[in-house]
Amino acid sequence: MSNCILALSIKSWHRVAIRLLGRSLCLVGLVLSMGAAIGAPVASASPDRPFRVCFEMQDNMPFIQGVPEDGVIVLGEHGVLADLLILAAEQHGIELSFSFMPWKRCIQRLGQGKVDGIIAAIWSSERDSWGVFPKMGEAVDNEMAIWFVDYLIYTKSGSGLNWDGSDFSGVRHGIAAPLGYIAYQKLSELGVLHEQNLSLTDGFALLALDRLDGYVVEESIGRRVIDDLQLTDKLVSLTTPFMRVHWFMPVSHQWYRAHSEFSLEFWLTLKGIRETQGEALLQHYLE
C-alpha cells in the first residue's frame, strides 16, 4: 500500500485530488495478488531499471504536453496519458524515463529497443514488426487499450468537403494528417492526401485560408487547437468520424522478451486506471 501514499511534493489542490483518486488503484494490486487462486498469472518481479517511454514531440493536450518547459513530467500537469503512466508506475513501484521525439522517430527507436514503450499507437498488422501490442490470441485485445478516440475531419466553415464514411467528395487541395499516423496512411490510400507534410497548427492555418480542404486529428486535440488559434468562427468538423479507434501502449520486442509477465500486468493496470479514473482525468484537463 505504500505506493498509494500522497506525495508531499504535489501541492496544488487538483493534483492532490488526482492522487487521492489513485488510492482506488490499490484494489488492482489486490486483484492481481489474489489472481493465483483463480488461475491468473502470478505477479512477476518489477524490472530493475526505469521504463523508457517515448512521446511525440507535439503538444497534444489534453492527452500529452510535449515537450514540458523544464523537461519534468508531473502528475496532474502534463496530460491524461502521462498521468495514466505515472499512476500505473506507482502501483508497480517502477521508475519512468520520458523522451520526446517526432512520432516516426519514436517508432524507429522502439523497433531498435532503444525505448521500451511509446504512447499512443493504433494497432495494425504491419506495426507488429516494431512493437508488441496486447493480444487475445492472434487478435489485438481492444479491452486493453489505454483510450478510445474519434478522429474527425476538420475543415473550413462552408467548405464543399464531404465524407460519407467511405469516400470523399469536394476535394480541391487535399487533406492532411500528421506524418506517420494511421490517418495519414489511410488518406494516402484514398488518393486525397495533401502533397505537403503539415503540422497540426500549420494545417489548421491553411484550412482557415482555404488552401487545404481538411485535416484529420483526434477530436479533443483538434478542438483545443482551434480554441488556441482562435479559429472557432472559421473551422468546423464533419459529422461522420474519419476513424473510431483504440490507442495502445506497445512495448519493444526486446522489453517484452525480458519482461513479458510484467508487461501484461502493466497493461492490465493501465486498463484499470482508464476505467476507474479516465473520465475524471480528462475533465481535469478540459476544464
XYZ file of all heavy atoms in Angstrom, residues 142-235:
738
model
N -8.731 -5.164 -27.662
C -9.183 -3.774 -27.540
C -9.544 -3.383 -26.113
O -9.535 -2.198 -25.769
C -10.373 -3.531 -28.469
C -9.970 -3.495 -29.929
O -8.840 -3.144 -30.260
N -10.883 -3.867 -30.811
N -9.871 -4.373 -25.282
C -10.178 -4.066 -23.881
C -8.947 -3.559 -23.130
O -9.071 -2.926 -22.083
C -10.740 -5.301 -23.187
C -12.146 -5.671 -23.634
C -13.143 -4.565 -23.354
O -13.137 -4.037 -22.221
O -13.916 -4.215 -24.258
N -7.767 -3.842 -23.662
C -6.529 -3.414 -23.022
C -6.021 -2.093 -23.590
O -4.888 -1.684 -23.315
C -5.458 -4.494 -23.184
C -5.841 -5.828 -22.582
S -5.958 -5.770 -20.781
C -4.250 -6.076 -20.377
N -6.852 -1.418 -24.366
C -6.471 -0.111 -24.890
C -6.361 0.896 -23.751
O -7.026 0.763 -22.715
C -7.507 0.361 -25.910
N -5.531 1.910 -23.946
C -5.424 2.946 -22.922
C -6.436 4.067 -23.150
O -6.716 4.842 -22.235
C -3.998 3.535 -22.853
C -3.576 4.093 -24.214
C -3.015 2.490 -22.361
C -2.252 4.819 -24.176
N -7.009 4.159 -24.366
C -8.043 5.165 -24.623
C -8.789 4.807 -25.896
O -8.280 4.072 -26.746
C -7.409 6.558 -24.763
C -8.305 7.653 -24.244
C -9.093 8.498 -24.970
C -8.501 8.009 -22.871
N -9.770 9.348 -24.129
C -9.418 9.078 -22.843
C -7.991 7.526 -21.665
C -9.843 9.660 -21.648
C -8.396 8.110 -20.480
C -9.318 9.164 -20.484
N -10.018 5.308 -26.018
C -10.844 5.121 -27.210
C -11.136 6.497 -27.797
O -11.571 7.396 -27.064
C -12.161 4.428 -26.863
C -11.982 3.194 -26.014
C -12.204 3.240 -24.643
C -11.588 2.001 -26.576
C -12.043 2.113 -23.849
C -11.420 0.869 -25.791
C -11.650 0.921 -24.427
N -10.890 6.682 -29.097
C -10.958 8.027 -29.660
C -11.616 8.047 -31.036
O -11.636 7.047 -31.759
C -9.551 8.654 -29.785
C -8.948 8.921 -28.412
C -8.623 7.767 -30.602
N -12.144 9.215 -31.367
C -12.619 9.518 -32.715
C -11.635 10.468 -33.376
O -11.210 11.463 -32.768
C -13.992 10.191 -32.678
C -15.128 9.220 -32.412
O -14.878 7.999 -32.440
O -16.251 9.683 -32.171
N -11.273 10.151 -34.613
C -10.506 11.086 -35.430
C -11.493 11.787 -36.367
O -12.171 11.129 -37.167
C -9.446 10.351 -36.241
C -8.191 10.035 -35.444
C -8.213 9.093 -34.417
C -6.995 10.682 -35.716
C -7.075 8.811 -33.679
C -5.851 10.405 -34.984
C -5.896 9.467 -33.969
O -4.777 9.207 -33.231
N -11.577 13.109 -36.234
C -12.522 13.881 -37.024
C -11.821 14.593 -38.178
O -10.602 14.780 -38.163
C -13.226 14.919 -36.143
C -14.012 14.392 -34.939
C -14.760 15.533 -34.262
C -14.966 13.275 -35.342
N -12.627 14.984 -39.148
C -12.128 15.743 -40.296
C -12.507 17.201 -40.074
O -13.693 17.558 -40.057
C -12.747 15.248 -41.615
C -12.500 13.747 -41.773
C -12.186 16.031 -42.809
C -13.487 13.070 -42.709
N -11.505 18.040 -39.861
C -11.741 19.471 -39.664
C -11.608 20.190 -41.000
O -10.725 19.868 -41.806
C -10.763 20.036 -38.641
C -11.057 19.539 -37.240
C -10.475 18.367 -36.762
C -11.956 20.214 -36.421
C -10.779 17.882 -35.490
C -12.256 19.732 -35.150
C -11.669 18.574 -34.694
O -11.981 18.100 -33.448
N -12.488 21.148 -41.227
C -12.500 21.867 -42.491
C -12.988 23.291 -42.262
O -13.426 23.632 -41.152
C -13.410 21.144 -43.513
O -13.274 21.740 -44.795
C -14.869 21.183 -43.075
N -12.911 24.115 -43.284
C -13.378 25.492 -43.156
C -14.900 25.529 -43.215
O -15.526 24.776 -43.977
C -12.789 26.366 -44.266
C -13.120 27.845 -44.111
C -12.432 28.687 -45.160
C -12.740 30.171 -44.935
N -12.104 31.031 -45.963
N -15.494 26.367 -42.397
C -16.950 26.519 -42.405
C -17.418 26.903 -43.802
O -16.868 27.801 -44.437
C -17.360 27.601 -41.396
O -18.758 27.753 -41.386
N -18.427 26.192 -44.306
C -18.935 26.456 -45.653
C -18.199 25.713 -46.746
O -18.533 25.848 -47.921
N -17.209 24.908 -46.362
C -16.454 24.136 -47.347
C -17.357 23.129 -48.042
O -18.346 22.644 -47.472
C -15.310 23.405 -46.638
O -14.775 22.373 -47.442
N -16.990 22.773 -49.268
C -17.735 21.771 -50.005
C -17.257 20.360 -49.746
O -17.730 19.408 -50.395
N -16.354 20.179 -48.786
C -15.815 18.854 -48.498
C -16.875 17.975 -47.837
O -17.567 18.399 -46.908
C -14.595 18.977 -47.575
C -13.884 17.660 -47.237
C -13.197 17.089 -48.472
C -12.855 17.878 -46.122
N -16.973 16.725 -48.302
C -17.906 15.761 -47.731
C -17.219 14.411 -47.546
O -16.324 14.035 -48.316
C -19.133 15.589 -48.644
C -20.031 16.813 -48.650
O -20.694 17.114 -47.670
N -20.026 17.528 -49.780
N -17.669 13.679 -46.526
C -17.158 12.342 -46.224
C -18.336 11.470 -45.839
O -19.073 11.778 -44.901
C -16.140 12.417 -45.087
C -15.761 11.129 -44.427
C -16.094 10.741 -43.163
C -14.960 10.081 -44.971
N -15.558 9.514 -42.879
C -14.852 9.074 -43.976
C -14.332 9.878 -46.208
C -14.141 7.906 -44.176
C -13.623 8.698 -46.416
C -13.523 7.736 -45.411
N -18.550 10.370 -46.570
C -19.702 9.506 -46.310
C -19.343 8.273 -45.484
O -20.163 7.363 -45.333
C -20.366 9.095 -47.627
C -19.472 8.238 -48.517
O -18.358 7.868 -48.073
O -19.878 7.947 -49.659
N -18.133 8.251 -44.955
C -17.669 7.110 -44.202
C -16.815 6.174 -45.013
O -16.133 5.300 -44.453
N -16.828 6.351 -46.327
C -16.015 5.516 -47.215
C -15.218 6.328 -48.221
O -14.075 5.986 -48.542
C -16.900 4.521 -47.980
O -17.601 3.670 -47.096
N -15.838 7.396 -48.725
C -15.209 8.196 -49.784
C -15.421 9.683 -49.536
O -16.399 10.098 -48.898
C -15.785 7.825 -51.151
C -15.496 6.388 -51.535
O -14.310 6.068 -51.750
O -16.451 5.592 -51.604
N -14.482 10.477 -50.080
C -14.582 11.929 -50.033
C -15.147 12.465 -51.344
O -15.002 11.854 -52.404
C -13.193 12.558 -49.823
C -12.657 12.432 -48.441
C -11.738 11.441 -48.115
C -13.045 13.324 -47.445
C -11.227 11.326 -46.832
C -12.543 13.223 -46.158
C -11.627 12.224 -45.852
N -15.762 13.640 -51.236
C -16.132 14.419 -52.414
C -15.842 15.880 -52.092
O -15.735 16.266 -50.932
C -17.609 14.226 -52.773
O -18.453 14.646 -51.711
N -15.704 16.678 -53.153
C -15.427 18.095 -52.948
C -13.987 18.393 -52.588
O -13.697 19.443 -51.994
N -13.062 17.493 -52.938
C -11.647 17.706 -52.630
C -11.010 18.541 -53.742
O -11.053 18.168 -54.913
C -10.899 16.364 -52.486
C -9.420 16.609 -52.219
C -11.517 15.523 -51.381
N -10.396 19.653 -53.353
C -9.709 20.526 -54.307
C -8.203 20.580 -54.055
O -7.401 20.461 -54.977
C -10.267 21.947 -54.234
C -11.756 22.066 -54.610
C -12.248 23.474 -54.332
N -12.100 23.809 -52.906
C -11.823 25.027 -52.451
N -11.634 26.032 -53.303
N -11.728 25.245 -51.149
N -7.812 20.776 -52.800
C -6.400 20.958 -52.465
C -5.781 19.727 -51.811
O -4.563 19.561 -51.839
C -6.242 22.143 -51.501
C -6.865 23.404 -51.990
N -6.396 24.084 -53.094
C -7.924 24.122 -51.519
C -7.131 25.168 -53.283
N -8.070 25.210 -52.350
N -6.602 18.909 -51.209
C -6.091 17.744 -50.499
C -6.407 17.812 -49.015
O -6.833 18.839 -48.486
N -6.193 16.691 -48.337
C -6.484 16.559 -46.911
C -5.209 16.081 -46.228
O -4.478 15.241 -46.767
C -7.633 15.566 -46.677
C -8.870 16.017 -47.477
C -7.975 15.455 -45.195
C -9.957 14.964 -47.558
N -4.935 16.597 -45.045
C -3.682 16.294 -44.354
C -3.934 15.622 -43.012
O -5.035 15.661 -42.465
C -2.865 17.573 -44.156
N -2.879 15.034 -42.494
C -2.850 14.430 -41.153
C -1.392 14.371 -40.744
O -0.491 14.480 -41.594
C -3.469 13.032 -41.165
N -1.101 14.219 -39.452
C 0.304 14.152 -39.026
C 1.047 12.992 -39.675
O 0.525 11.891 -39.788
C 0.200 13.977 -37.509
C -1.126 14.580 -37.145
C -2.023 14.240 -38.293
N 2.282 13.256 -40.075
C 3.128 12.246 -40.714
C 3.340 11.060 -39.783
O 3.617 11.224 -38.595
C 4.480 12.868 -41.079
C 5.504 11.958 -41.756
C 4.999 11.511 -43.118
C 6.852 12.664 -41.892
N 3.180 9.856 -40.329
C 3.395 8.638 -39.557
C 2.155 8.089 -38.896
O 2.180 6.979 -38.358
N 1.057 8.852 -38.927
C -0.188 8.404 -38.320
C -0.914 7.434 -39.250
O -0.759 7.478 -40.473
C -1.108 9.584 -38.034
C -0.785 10.386 -36.790
C 0.503 10.483 -36.294
C -1.790 11.070 -36.113
C 0.794 11.234 -35.165
C -1.522 11.829 -34.978
C -0.218 11.904 -34.517
O 0.054 12.645 -33.407
N -1.755 6.565 -38.668
C -2.609 5.692 -39.463
C -3.517 6.531 -40.369
O -3.787 6.157 -41.517
C -3.448 4.773 -38.560
C -2.555 3.755 -37.840
C -4.536 4.064 -39.353
C -1.962 2.698 -38.731
N -3.999 7.673 -39.864
C -4.850 8.548 -40.670
C -4.117 9.027 -41.914
O -4.709 9.118 -43.003
C -5.312 9.744 -39.834
N -2.839 9.337 -41.782
C -2.021 9.771 -42.918
C -1.971 8.664 -43.973
O -2.165 8.904 -45.170
C -0.622 10.112 -42.405
C 0.349 10.644 -43.444
C 0.567 12.017 -43.566
C 1.064 9.791 -44.276
C 1.474 12.520 -44.498
C 1.968 10.278 -45.207
C 2.163 11.646 -45.308
O 3.064 12.129 -46.239
N -1.721 7.443 -43.524
C -1.654 6.300 -44.437
C -3.004 6.073 -45.127
O -3.056 5.811 -46.344
C -1.251 5.059 -43.655
C -1.202 3.780 -44.477
C -0.846 2.569 -43.626
O -0.268 2.691 -42.547
N -1.227 1.400 -44.105
N -4.074 6.197 -44.380
C -5.410 5.958 -44.945
C -5.763 7.023 -45.980
O -6.346 6.712 -47.027
C -6.444 5.941 -43.821
C -7.843 5.542 -44.271
C -8.778 5.399 -43.074
C -10.191 5.053 -43.525
N -11.129 4.909 -42.386
N -5.422 8.289 -45.701
C -5.670 9.354 -46.677
C -4.894 9.105 -47.970
O -5.402 9.341 -49.076
C -5.283 10.711 -46.087
C -6.175 11.254 -44.981
C -5.530 12.487 -44.348
C -7.574 11.593 -45.504
N -3.656 8.610 -47.813
C -2.851 8.297 -48.994
C -3.495 7.185 -49.811
O -3.560 7.259 -51.050
C -1.439 7.887 -48.553
O -0.635 7.534 -49.659
N -3.990 6.160 -49.131
C -4.636 5.052 -49.833
C -5.901 5.492 -50.556
O -6.265 4.934 -51.594
C -4.956 3.939 -48.837
C -3.717 3.263 -48.263
C -4.030 2.344 -47.100
O -5.212 2.330 -46.664
O -3.124 1.644 -46.622
N -6.584 6.509 -50.001
C -7.802 7.026 -50.632
C -7.499 8.004 -51.762
O -8.416 8.449 -52.473
C -8.673 7.724 -49.578
C -9.354 6.805 -48.563
C -9.954 7.622 -47.422
C -10.447 5.968 -49.245
N -6.221 8.381 -51.917
C -5.824 9.274 -53.003
C -6.151 10.739 -52.785
O -6.234 11.504 -53.747
N -6.314 11.147 -51.517
C -6.689 12.544 -51.238
C -5.653 13.250 -50.365
O -5.867 14.385 -49.939
C -8.067 12.615 -50.542
C -9.165 12.086 -51.466
C -8.058 11.850 -49.214
N -4.518 12.617 -50.114
C -3.510 13.189 -49.223
C -2.886 14.435 -49.839
O -2.492 14.443 -51.008
C -2.424 12.160 -48.928
C -1.333 12.567 -47.945
C -1.904 12.775 -46.547
C -0.219 11.515 -47.912
N -2.772 15.490 -49.025
C -2.134 16.730 -49.473
C -0.660 16.474 -49.762
O -0.015 15.638 -49.120
C -2.292 17.805 -48.394
C -1.923 19.180 -48.843
N -0.669 19.709 -48.654
C -2.635 20.136 -49.473
C -0.625 20.937 -49.130
N -1.806 21.222 -49.645
N -0.106 17.218 -50.704
C 1.265 16.975 -51.153
C 2.319 17.351 -50.115
O 3.455 16.878 -50.180
C 1.543 17.745 -52.441
C 1.388 19.251 -52.302
C 1.554 19.997 -53.610
O 1.606 19.346 -54.666
O 1.628 21.243 -53.571
N 1.972 18.195 -49.131
C 2.923 18.601 -48.104
C 2.651 17.875 -46.786
O 1.502 17.554 -46.476
C 2.838 20.105 -47.845
C 3.330 20.980 -48.986
C 3.204 22.451 -48.636
O 2.119 23.033 -48.702
N 4.315 23.061 -48.251
N 3.726 17.636 -46.023
C 3.578 17.126 -44.663
C 3.358 18.315 -43.738
O 4.264 19.134 -43.543
C 4.828 16.348 -44.239
C 5.041 15.106 -45.080
O 4.082 14.478 -45.520
N 6.291 14.755 -45.313
N 2.176 18.439 -43.188
C 1.794 19.623 -42.427
C 1.591 19.294 -40.956
O 0.930 18.314 -40.616
C 0.491 20.220 -42.984
C 0.539 20.715 -44.436
C -0.867 21.052 -44.926
C 1.454 21.923 -44.559
N 2.167 20.122 -40.091
C 1.892 20.006 -38.665
C 0.444 20.398 -38.411
O -0.231 20.981 -39.272
C 2.820 20.917 -37.864
O 2.506 22.283 -38.100
N -0.024 20.107 -37.210
C -1.411 20.411 -36.866
C -1.703 21.900 -36.959
O -2.688 22.319 -37.570
C -1.706 19.886 -35.461
C -3.104 20.101 -34.889
C -4.170 19.573 -35.836
C -3.215 19.421 -33.529
N -0.850 22.727 -36.373
C -1.104 24.175 -36.382
C -0.986 24.752 -37.787
O -1.781 25.606 -38.182
C -0.141 24.904 -35.430
O 1.209 24.528 -35.741
C -0.441 24.545 -33.985
N 0.010 24.285 -38.550
C 0.141 24.760 -39.938
C -1.057 24.329 -40.771
O -1.562 25.095 -41.605
C 1.422 24.219 -40.569
C 2.678 24.864 -40.015
O 2.555 25.922 -39.363
O 3.772 24.307 -40.231
N -1.515 23.099 -40.547
C -2.666 22.609 -41.298
C -3.920 23.403 -41.016
O -4.665 23.764 -41.935
N -4.164 23.703 -39.747
C -5.357 24.472 -39.400
C -5.272 25.902 -39.941
O -6.297 26.488 -40.327
C -5.554 24.481 -37.887
C -6.256 23.243 -37.370
C -6.258 22.066 -38.091
C -6.921 23.257 -36.159
C -6.902 20.929 -37.632
C -7.584 22.133 -35.679
C -7.560 20.966 -36.422
N -4.073 26.460 -39.961
C -3.905 27.803 -40.531
C -4.243 27.801 -42.022
O -4.907 28.727 -42.520
C -2.478 28.299 -40.312
N -3.823 26.754 -42.743
C -4.137 26.656 -44.165
C -5.628 26.401 -44.388
O -6.202 26.870 -45.389
C -3.311 25.554 -44.817
C -1.814 25.831 -44.994
C -1.135 24.658 -45.695
C -1.584 27.110 -45.789
N -6.270 25.663 -43.477
C -7.719 25.482 -43.578
C -8.428 26.827 -43.527
O -9.341 27.105 -44.326
C -8.226 24.601 -42.434
C -7.939 23.107 -42.475
C -8.507 22.437 -41.225
C -8.513 22.459 -43.725
N -8.015 27.672 -42.581
C -8.650 28.980 -42.414
C -8.448 29.849 -43.642
O -9.292 30.700 -43.952
C -8.103 29.674 -41.177
N -7.333 29.636 -44.360
C -7.039 30.414 -45.568
C -7.629 29.777 -46.823
O -7.416 30.279 -47.924
C -5.517 30.553 -45.735
C -4.783 31.360 -44.660
C -3.271 31.245 -44.851
C -5.231 32.818 -44.697
N -8.357 28.662 -46.646
C -8.972 27.942 -47.760
C -7.930 27.411 -48.747
O -8.174 27.341 -49.942
C -9.982 28.826 -48.500
C -10.969 28.006 -49.327
O -11.179 26.827 -48.991
O -11.513 28.543 -50.313
N -6.771 27.008 -48.214
C -5.710 26.435 -49.052
C -5.507 24.950 -48.746
O -4.595 24.321 -49.254
C -4.409 27.212 -48.851
C -4.480 28.631 -49.395
C -3.319 29.484 -48.929
N -2.027 28.873 -49.193
C -0.873 29.333 -48.683
N -0.883 30.395 -47.875
N 0.267 28.731 -48.978
N -6.358 24.404 -47.928
C -6.376 22.986 -47.589
C -7.829 22.612 -47.357
O -8.586 23.387 -46.776
C -5.539 22.740 -46.320
C -5.427 21.299 -45.811
C -4.559 20.463 -46.766
C -4.807 21.266 -44.411
N -8.227 21.427 -47.823
C -9.633 21.029 -47.699
C -9.978 20.489 -46.317
O -11.070 20.751 -45.800
C -9.981 19.981 -48.758
C -9.881 20.524 -50.169
O -10.466 21.595 -50.424
O -9.196 19.898 -50.987
N -9.066 19.722 -45.734
C -9.378 19.116 -44.451
C -8.121 18.696 -43.723
O -7.050 18.554 -44.323
N -8.265 18.513 -42.411
C -7.168 17.994 -41.594
C -7.775 16.996 -40.620
O -8.786 17.280 -39.965
C -6.465 19.117 -40.830
C -5.087 18.721 -40.335
C -3.949 19.095 -41.042
C -4.921 17.956 -39.177
C -2.679 18.729 -40.613
C -3.666 17.571 -38.745
C -2.542 17.961 -39.459
O -1.290 17.579 -39.037
N -7.142 15.820 -40.522
C -7.655 14.744 -39.677
C -6.815 14.649 -38.412
O -5.587 14.498 -38.470
C -7.631 13.395 -40.420
C -8.105 12.277 -39.500
C -8.505 13.462 -41.672
N -7.496 14.712 -37.259
C -6.811 14.592 -35.978
C -7.829 14.177 -34.931
O -9.051 14.291 -35.150
C -6.126 15.923 -35.598
C -7.145 16.980 -35.182
C -5.071 15.732 -34.512
N -7.344 13.697 -33.789
C -8.245 13.275 -32.709
C -9.106 14.445 -32.250
O -8.670 15.595 -32.215
C -7.407 12.736 -31.541
C -8.217 12.033 -30.464
C -8.848 12.994 -29.472
O -8.262 14.088 -29.252
O -9.918 12.665 -28.924
N -10.352 14.155 -31.899
C -11.369 15.179 -31.652
C -10.966 16.194 -30.588
O -11.021 17.414 -30.831
C -12.678 14.500 -31.245
C -13.802 15.467 -30.946
C -15.102 14.758 -30.599
O -15.073 13.515 -30.412
O -16.138 15.438 -30.504
N -10.582 15.763 -29.394
C -10.273 16.692 -28.310
C -9.050 17.542 -28.627
O -9.004 18.736 -28.311
C -10.039 15.930 -26.998
O -11.215 15.269 -26.593
N -8.055 16.933 -29.276
C -6.860 17.677 -29.664
C -7.220 18.749 -30.685
O -6.791 19.906 -30.582
C -5.794 16.722 -30.236
C -5.311 15.753 -29.156
C -4.619 17.502 -30.827
C -4.417 14.643 -29.677
N -8.031 18.387 -31.673
C -8.431 19.342 -32.697
C -9.203 20.518 -32.133
O -8.943 21.681 -32.475
N -10.133 20.250 -31.239
C -10.944 21.335 -30.678
C -10.083 22.258 -29.803
O -10.295 23.472 -29.784
C -12.091 20.757 -29.861
C -13.050 19.924 -30.701
C -14.378 19.685 -30.023
N -15.195 18.762 -30.798
C -15.835 19.070 -31.919
N -15.728 20.289 -32.422
N -16.558 18.159 -32.551
N -9.108 21.690 -29.108
C -8.238 22.522 -28.292
C -7.397 23.455 -29.149
O -7.228 24.637 -28.848
C -7.341 21.619 -27.431
C -6.612 22.341 -26.298
C -5.247 22.839 -26.697
N -4.420 21.769 -27.204
C -3.252 21.971 -27.811
N -2.799 23.188 -27.983
N -2.553 20.960 -28.280
N -6.863 22.942 -30.275
C -6.038 23.776 -31.154
C -6.883 24.870 -31.805
O -6.438 26.011 -31.946
C -5.341 22.906 -32.222
C -4.623 23.780 -33.244
C -4.349 21.960 -31.558
N -8.114 24.550 -32.184
C -9.000 25.565 -32.747
C -9.217 26.690 -31.749
O -9.172 27.878 -32.107
C -10.343 24.932 -33.161
C -10.154 24.090 -34.424
C -11.415 26.009 -33.399
C -11.396 23.343 -34.854
N -9.432 26.333 -30.482
C -9.600 27.356 -29.441
C -8.330 28.178 -29.272
O -8.379 29.413 -29.184
C -9.977 26.705 -28.111
C -11.390 26.147 -28.113
O -12.186 26.573 -28.975
O -11.696 25.299 -27.266
N -7.175 27.504 -29.238
C -5.904 28.201 -29.039
C -5.613 29.175 -30.181
O -5.066 30.259 -29.961
C -4.754 27.201 -28.919
C -4.766 26.454 -27.590
O -5.554 26.843 -26.698
O -3.989 25.490 -27.457
N -5.949 28.775 -31.406
C -5.691 29.619 -32.575
C -6.813 30.627 -32.833
O -6.734 31.398 -33.780
C -5.493 28.750 -33.820
C -4.296 27.798 -33.801
C -4.266 26.950 -35.072
C -2.989 28.569 -33.671
N -7.842 30.585 -31.976
C -8.991 31.490 -32.097
C -9.634 31.384 -33.486
O -9.903 32.384 -34.150
C -8.568 32.942 -31.809
C -8.020 33.114 -30.395
C -7.625 34.548 -30.084
O -7.597 35.411 -30.951
N -7.310 34.808 -28.822
N -9.885 30.132 -33.875
C -10.480 29.863 -35.184
C -11.862 29.225 -35.065
O -12.349 28.606 -36.010
C -9.561 28.935 -35.993
C -8.198 29.509 -36.408
C -7.347 28.441 -37.078
C -8.386 30.706 -37.351
N -12.519 29.396 -33.906
C -13.810 28.746 -33.700
C -14.884 29.256 -34.651
O -15.855 28.546 -34.915
C -14.283 28.949 -32.249
O -14.268 30.356 -31.940
C -13.374 28.217 -31.278
N -14.717 30.471 -35.166
C -15.705 31.016 -36.096
C -15.398 30.656 -37.546
O -16.173 30.999 -38.451
C -15.796 32.540 -35.958
C -14.473 33.236 -36.250
O -13.415 32.582 -36.113
O -14.487 34.425 -36.614
N -14.272 29.957 -37.772
C -13.866 29.645 -39.145
C -13.805 28.146 -39.443
O -13.996 27.746 -40.590
C -12.498 30.267 -39.447
C -12.496 31.791 -39.453
C -11.124 32.331 -39.838
C -11.142 33.859 -39.880
N -9.812 34.403 -40.278
N -13.512 27.331 -38.423
C -13.313 25.905 -38.664
C -14.384 25.072 -37.978
O -14.835 25.401 -36.882
C -11.934 25.461 -38.179
C -10.721 26.181 -38.779
C -9.434 25.533 -38.297
C -10.776 26.203 -40.302
